[in-house]
Amino acid sequence: MAAGTKRPSLQPAGVLLAELFIFAVGLKPARGYDYDLKLLQTEIGKTVEDIGVGFSFAHEQSNVFKWMEYSGCNAGRTFVNPFMSGSYEDENQKRDIRTADWRSYLSHRWSESRSSQFGDQFGRSFNGDAVESKEGWLSAVDNVRNAAKGSGRFWDWLRGQEAVNWGDLLDHLDRQVDEPQKGQVGNHNYYHRRLKDEGYKVMALWDIRCKNLEYKSVVNINPEYWKERWETYRLFYIGGRWLAERGIEYVELYNEPDKDKKDRGCIDGVRWADDVRIRSQAIRAAYEDETNGQFEPVIVAPALTIAWRTEFSVPLADNWRIPFPETEESLTYTVADVYSLHDYGSFSGPCDTFGPQCRNENGYATRKSYNKAKQKLNQKLLGHVEVSITETNCFTAGQSDKRGHPFFEGKHVADYASTATCLASQFSGLSRIAGGPKFVNIHKLVQTLHATLPSRIAKNGVLYADTTGPPFHVTSSTKTGESLRQFCTKARGGQAVYGVSSADGKDPNYRTSRTNTWSTKSGNNLHVFVINDEWEDDNVVLDFSDFQPDIYSSYIVTSISDYAPHGSHYHGEVSQTGELGESRRVSISVPRESTHIVTLPLVSTRRVEITADRDATFQAEGKANGDDTSIKVKINGKDSSIGMFNFNKEGKVGDIGVVNAVLQLHLERATNSEPQVLAVFGWNQPWDEGNPDWNGISMLNKVEGDIRRTKDNFVNWDDGHISIVGHITIPPGDQIPGEGMKIRLDVSDTIEKVSNYAVVRMFRMDNSIGEAPFTLPKDAPQGEYFFASKESSNGDNAPKLLIDYQV
């Protein structure tokens, strides 16, 4: 099959049609099932306790926190760059010091007036003494820790130390107002505070690397040796005070030192042994001083690009209990609390066909890396130390833009179900075998501009966004983002993972298997993850009898797949739902490279269908009739329209509570030629069906002209009543059956807080910058889409909420 070619999965059909289809595409013959699995209550592992995302896109004017909430993840990993936004004067000339040379900055060579007044401050303590020996280093450490005591807020004291222009250098980190900032990253103070206020755990990295301060001396009788190590302590003590003031729980010490050696040659194992310990000690001391010993951070050892890099891992382990500048172990000291690593899936080299030889790495490989780190630590008598994976995904930014590989060239790879399933397979390997990591971080949340990649976009972000300028709004989730969301909302928190048995002895959870099936409980539901990372289609039968669920309860199958009926895709929609039945068995189609989650209540439920109380088309210009039999959705300048649906469930769902809910719309017809992804938003404000006025809906901005880029989208994110519910996919119009088709979305997460559902075609992504074969194409909205309204002549086609309530 040619690169990028997609085909529908084999659906139940006549025998002759199925045989012709198999002959045409060369697939294996269809059978009644490929896996007949009994779900067991035998615990085989645990879900990841904390799932974070690389919070690389946090401008204070953007809607990123709404999308963070939608993701369901409970942590963020941040890079705090003290040099990023600062600038300093060179005879009225401003210079960016993103990659500041700390020696040069402290020498004051950039300012004749400051040089003459303060001289070279490199290697001098805050009291002005030169730090040129072990005793001088220890004295300088005591001096900075004691000097600020009793002086009020540390940051205010620091600004008063005029020998170094701290105020100019670090001003962007200490802005107490939420004023706009340039760049996608935004106001550090604002978004770290907001992450904490909204209950997220935060892993922060005070991002100073060897390019900023290189150790040129490794001999401790050289005065430069002590000056360099004092400057490291000083910078990380300042960073630690900033992080402690904001209550950051996890502090990561360095990002990929082994990569810095390869790319820059500015660090090695000998220098590393000093550097990592000084960073750790400075951070611990800063937290103790800032919080009066009331709060200790979790120190995360610097992540390497592989599980164990001898040149860096061995010095780290050998000095785990030896504080700098000593040579003997201390019973009260450890360099870190957690060991960490980075591990990504990847593709092989260039190939002509997107097939098995070009496939992503087996998801279990991430678990193998974790296991290797644990094994090596155990050999160093550090087997008790936790291991976190602080960066993982299917691709790094570089891999996702791989030169010469047809899968990546000019393609939105995060929006492929194969990438989504690769990520699901990685999580599966970490969860379905006992003893996995407690903290895993996906890198990263949003696709951001990149200065050097051929596509000029870091394509490993799981969300799309406007990257052209403030307010940098997120516009859509990719299929990989939907995969992440399923784990964050259904398989997180250290929950027990349960295994299966197979009727024919085939084990879908063999360690290196690319097909996995297991279950976990969350609230009143059992969630069964069925992951097919193979290049063959499967049919899977699930037997729920061991859990003894109510046979009258209804199950929901949520799917992520590039192979759906009618030439469509599944972007996290419901592919199948129905009553469990007496057999307590459910059969589902599992196409190649797809992920499915079967949700079944563990309490007795009954399903009620609630027809929309109100529905209407809202047009950007002019008004539709509130009693039209169809609801139209379209994005095309002033001819744009959205569909709005309201449901009243009061008195219809029993007295105990709602367990699950599905939004069901009937797609009558469409005029697009390729699948189109629509967003579903929640909106909690009243509206008049008899007067569907676009300008009366606060979640909508006025449309001024064409919509040709993400910045032209008309959703008003300043409206405080919007929430993100999910996505639905419209098949090509000429493949929609004549009688139309049902499109469903699981809305269980939002059913208690959403009263109106708005269906909108968003402009999802822009062209990336630059002209090359790797440039990503912008979104290409097509056609208009018509859904049956409650006034439809066929009541079965009316918009409905399918609500499963407890009895």
Side-chain angles (χ1 to χ4, degrees):
M1 190 174 292
T5 301
K6 302 189 178 355
R7 63 157 190 83
S9 61
L10 188 60
Q11 300 295 314
V15 175
L16 178 60
L17 177 61
E19 290 179 351
L20 288 173
F21 190 84
I22 292 165
F23 176 79
V25 299
L27 296 177
K28 62 182 182 182
R31 302 187 305 178
Y33 63 87
D34 297 284
Y35 290 94
D36 189 343
L37 305 175
K38 184 173 184 178
L39 301 161
L40 305 177
Q41 295 200 56
T42 304
E43 184 174 332
I44 59 173
K46 289 190 181 298
T47 63
V48 175
E49 190 166 309
D50 296 312
I51 301 178
V53 289
F55 208 69
S56 56
F57 193 97
H59 196 279
E60 57 279 3
Q61 293 179 300
S62 81
N63 61 357
V64 67
F65 277 93
K66 288 185 181 292
W67 286 90
M68 184 75 170
E69 179 184 11
Y70 172 71
S71 77
C73 301
N74 70 319
R77 178 175 179 253
T78 66
F79 283 65
V80 185
N81 193 323
F83 304 135
M84 184 173 59
S85 297
S87 58
Y88 51 84
E89 296 178 3
D90 183 2
E91 303 300 327
N92 298 319
Q93 180 181 3
K94 294 282 187 176
R95 292 196 291 160
D96 182 9
I97 54 171
R98 181 186 299 269
T99 55
D101 181 335
W102 190 236
R103 293 172 187 271
S104 175
Y105 184 77
L106 290 188
S107 71
H108 290 131
R109 284 175 290 181
W110 47 272
S111 172
E112 189 174 320
S113 60
R114 288 191 63 84
S115 179
S116 62
Q117 183 177 2
F118 297 109
D120 188 348
Q121 289 294 310
F122 186 81
R124 292 190 175 275
S125 67
F126 278 98
N127 64 9
D129 294 339
V131 180
E132 298 181 337
S133 65
K134 176 180 177 179
E135 293 72 21
W137 189 90
L138 293 171
S139 176
V141 168
D142 287 340
N143 170 253
V144 69
R145 296 190 66 182
N146 292 321
K149 289 181 179 179
S151 301
R153 186 169 177 260
F154 174 78
W155 216 256
D156 296 333
W157 172 84
L158 183 64
R159 289 176 183 274
Q161 309 307 300
E162 295 182 350
V164 177
N165 194 1
W166 298 106
D168 180 61
L169 182 69
L170 301 169
D171 179 67
H172 71 288
L173 295 178
D174 196 40
R175 298 192 178 188
Q176 298 303 302
V177 295
D178 300 336
E179 60 191 36
Q181 297 267 96
K182 68 178 183 179
Q184 297 164 166
V185 172
N187 186 324
H188 284 73
N189 188 45
Y190 163 77
Y191 69 76
H192 280 87
R193 186 179 70 246
R194 186 165 175 185
L195 281 167
K196 293 299 301 174
D197 288 348
E198 296 195 9
Y200 295 101
K201 295 182 179 180
V202 180
M203 179 183 290
L205 192 150
W206 188 252
D207 195 18
I208 295 173
R209 312 194 189 193
C210 61
K211 66 183 180 183
N212 307 119
L213 177 57
E214 182 178 358
Y215 288 174
K216 298 183 181 298
S217 175
V218 296
V219 181
N220 65 8
I221 60 174
N222 186 337
E224 286 299 308
Y225 176 95
W226 297 102
K227 289 182 178 180
E228 292 164 349
R229 285 145 184 82
W230 157 244
E231 292 300 344
T232 298
Y233 189 96
R234 168 154 60 180
L235 287 171
F236 276 83
Y237 183 81
I238 291 170
R241 293 295 292 253
W242 190 90
L243 296 169
E245 187 179 57
R246 286 148 187 84
I248 306 302
E249 301 100 323
Y250 297 85
V251 180
E252 191 175 357
L253 297 179
Y254 201 114
N255 186 68
E256 300 181 342
D258 54 337
K259 187 173 187 298
D260 272 355
K261 176 178 181 179
K262 177 184 175 183
D263 294 346
R264 299 176 180 274
C266 55
I267 196 165
D268 56 32
V270 175
R271 291 177 284 181
W272 175 240
D274 291 348
D275 186 67
V276 67
R277 290 184 292 162
I278 295 169
R279 290 166 181 253
S280 170
Q281 287 162 229
I283 293 291
R284 291 195 191 277
Y287 269 72
E288 180 178 340
D289 296 347
E290 181 65 36
T291 69
N292 294 316
Q294 298 301 303
F295 181 59
E296 295 183 6
V298 176
I299 300 294
V300 181
L304 302 168
T305 59
I306 60 174
W308 189 267
R309 181 85 67 184
T310 299
E311 182 176 7
F312 292 90
S313 299
V314 170
L316 175 69
D318 288 347
N319 288 278
W320 198 266
R321 299 183 181 91
I322 304 175
F324 182 86
E326 309 303 334
T327 57
E328 300 294 330
E329 288 191 354
S330 168
L331 296 177
T332 61
Y333 170 79
T334 57
V335 67
D337 304 300
V338 176
Y339 184 88
S340 70
L341 60 96
H342 293 172
D343 189 273
Y344 289 82
S346 62
F347 275 70
S348 61
C351 54
D352 296 326
T353 304
F354 180 37
Q357 70 270 32
C358 307
R359 69 193 316 172
N360 56 282
E361 190 176 56
N362 190 314
Y364 180 70
T366 302
R367 179 57 186 257
K368 285 175 62 179
S369 294
Y370 169 85
N371 290 347
K372 180 177 181 179
K374 289 292 290 184
Q375 177 189 22
K376 291 289 189 179
L377 287 169
N378 192 55
Q379 292 171 0
K380 288 290 185 177
L381 304 181
L382 295 171
H384 62 284
V385 175
E386 287 185 18
V387 175
S388 290
I389 301 176
T390 54
E391 282 188 21
T392 190
N393 202 331
C394 281
F395 316 113
T396 65
Q399 285 173 335
S400 68
D401 217 12
K402 206 168 187 177
R403 290 176 181 272
H405 198 301
F407 178 61
F408 297 101
E409 187 172 331
K411 295 173 183 173
H412 292 278
V413 291
D415 217 24
Y416 279 179
S418 57
T419 312
T421 301
C422 167
L423 184 64
S425 184
Q426 288 176 317
F427 269 114
S428 180
L430 298 173
S431 302
R432 62 186 165 85
I433 302 167
K438 293 183 178 180
F439 193 110
V440 173
N441 185 83
I442 302 304
H443 197 73
K444 57 190 178 173
L445 183 62
V446 178
Q447 297 194 1
T448 53
L449 295 177
H450 197 286
T452 59
L453 288 174
S455 69
R456 301 299 188 262
I457 286 283
K459 294 193 283 186
N460 58 341
V462 300
L463 301 178
Y464 292 125
D466 168 22
T467 57
T468 60
F472 298 111
H473 283 321
V474 177
T475 55
S476 183
S477 174
T478 67
K479 288 190 180 75
T480 305
E482 292 303 306
S483 179
L484 173 63
R485 181 172 181 263
Q486 295 304 316
F487 282 88
C488 285
T489 57
K490 295 181 174 73
R492 173 177 67 75
Q495 303 157 191
V497 169
Y498 304 101
V500 300
S501 64
S502 176
D504 57 6
K506 296 198 305 183
D507 183 5
N509 291 324
Y510 180 72
R511 284 178 176 255
T512 57
S513 173
R514 286 181 176 266
T515 57
N516 302 158
T517 300
W518 46 266
S519 65
T520 188
K521 297 176 184 177
S522 178
N524 289 322
N525 286 306
L526 181 73
H527 301 294
V528 185
F529 282 74
V530 183
I531 300 166
N532 182 8
D533 199 21
E534 286 284 4
W535 277 103
E536 293 183 338
D537 300 334
D538 288 328
N539 291 298
V540 176
V541 176
L542 302 173
D543 181 347
F544 289 87
S545 58
D546 204 39
F547 288 87
Q548 285 299 298
D550 188 328
I551 63 174
Y552 298 108
S553 291
S554 295
Y555 66 90
I556 300 168
V557 183
T558 297
S559 297
I560 303 166
S561 174
D562 285 338
Y563 310 114
H566 314 301
S568 190
H569 304 164
Y570 286 127
H571 202 96
E573 298 102 316
V574 172
S575 61
Q576 188 175 328
T577 186
E579 191 175 276
L580 180 60
E582 291 185 7
S583 70
R584 293 190 171 95
R585 288 164 64 86
V586 173
S587 177
I588 63 173
S589 174
V590 184
R592 63 184 66 182
E593 296 294 343
S594 65
T595 300
H596 310 263
I597 301 88
V598 184
T599 296
L600 180 71
L602 292 171
V603 295
S604 293
T605 63
R606 296 296 180 267
R607 174 165 285 185
V608 61
E609 295 186 359
I610 300 175
T611 300
D613 193 51
R614 286 174 286 150
D615 58 22
T617 299
F618 284 81
Q619 298 180 172
E621 196 167 75
K623 291 183 182 179
N625 293 319
D627 59 357
D628 285 344
T629 59
S630 296
I631 305 295
K632 183 175 74 171
V633 177
K634 184 178 184 179
I635 181 172
N636 184 24
K638 293 184 179 182
D639 193 28
S640 298
S641 60
I642 73 163
M644 187 76 77
F645 305 89
N646 173 272
F647 299 88
N648 180 9
K649 65 180 186 295
E650 188 174 348
K652 303 173 184 176
V653 294
D655 299 323
I656 302 177
V658 173
V659 178
N660 294 313
V662 172
L663 174 66
Q664 176 177 285
L665 303 176
H666 185 84
L667 179 65
E668 297 177 323
R669 65 189 189 281
T671 61
N672 51 296
S673 60
E674 296 178 352
Q676 300 288 295
V677 176
L678 276 57
V680 179
F681 298 123
W683 186 63
N684 287 338
Q685 287 292 282
W687 54 279
D688 183 0
E689 183 182 40
N691 182 29
D693 181 7
W694 181 285
N695 297 323
I697 303 296
S698 60
M699 69 167 282
L700 301 174
N701 286 321
K702 185 176 181 180
V703 178
E704 300 291 351
D706 292 339
I707 300 173
R708 297 178 178 176
R709 54 181 185 165
T710 55
K711 199 174 288 297
D712 298 330
N713 277 315
F714 47 72
V715 172
N716 176 22
W717 290 105
D718 291 332
D719 180 71
H721 307 287
I722 303 177
S723 56
I724 300 149
V725 178
H727 301 78
I728 58 176
T729 308
I730 307 299
D734 61 1
Q735 297 198 40
I736 298 172
E739 68 276 12
M741 58 183 288
K742 297 291 188 291
I743 291 182
R744 303 180 179 97
L745 179 67
D746 187 340
V747 297
S748 305
D749 292 343
T750 57
I751 187 64
E752 298 296 350
K753 61 183 180 181
V754 168
S755 57
N756 303 303
Y757 295 92
V759 179
V760 181
R761 176 59 165 98
M762 296 283 287
F763 197 97
R764 299 179 66 208
M765 78 287 284
D766 296 309
N767 279 329
S768 54
I769 299 170
E771 295 184 7
F774 294 85
T775 301
L776 294 183
K778 66 180 179 180
D779 195 5
Q782 296 176 351
E784 46 193 16
Y785 333 107
F786 297 88
F787 300 91
S789 78
K790 65 183 179 63
E791 284 81 15
S792 170
S793 59
N794 185 341
D796 290 338
N797 293 344
K800 289 182 171 66
L801 273 182
L802 313 180
I803 293 186
D804 301 322
Y805 62 95
Q806 188 172 351
V807 294

